[in-house]
Amino acid sequence: QVRLVESGGGSVQTGGSLRLSCVASGYGTTRYSRGWGRQRPGKDREGLVNIYPDGNTQYADSVKGRFTMSRDFGKDTAYLQMDRLKPEDTAKYYCATAPHYVHFREHWLFTTWGQGIQVTVSS
């Protein structure tokens, strides 16, 4: 059974940075697609980014150029470096994974999600 655990959230001022981490446990997860999504207050969950086992990465326009996703295969950990944060980035952030290719625009196809972690950006 695959399990994901996020860490690194918190509160930051506009323009600041945070780095989220997501550790995966379970057999074969290094071959999985990984991604991040978020749910802002009063909104549905949205996909933000995906990374495939070959390193190919796609970003939503709302975070492109500010957020960077990476993964460490040795630690089976995915990261989301968030720079130039804005108040509208305030949300609960979730990491996700699936044993097949998943594009962030179809984030509902991820088969396992973490419990989520809060990010708050104040103006």
Side-chain angles (χ1 to χ4, degrees), residues 39-97:
Q39 188 164 15
R40 293 183 280 185
K43 304 284 188 181
D44 292 333
R45 186 178 297 184
E46 58 180 324
L48 298 178
V49 57
N50 59 269
I51 189 167
Y52 298 142
D54 63 3
N56 193 11
T57 311
Q58 287 93 27
Y59 295 90
D61 287 344
S62 59
V63 303
K64 192 179 297 182
R66 299 187 300 122
F67 290 11
T68 304
M69 183 175 185
S70 61
R71 64 192 298 180
D72 182 329
F73 286 94
K75 297 179 181 179
D76 209 356
T77 300
Y79 303 96
L80 186 66
Q81 177 66 40
M82 305 186 294
D83 299 317
R84 291 184 281 141
L85 283 160
K86 307 174 182 179
E88 52 264 43
D89 293 319
T90 294
K92 195 165 187 180
Y93 284 73
Y94 299 85
C95 66
T97 190

Side-chain angles (χ1 to χ4, degrees), residues 9-13 18 118-122:
S11 297
V12 66
Q13 291 189 323
L18 283 173
Q118 182 67 34
V119 171
T120 303
V121 185
S122 57

Side-chain angles (χ1 to χ4, degrees), residues 33 91 114:
S33 295

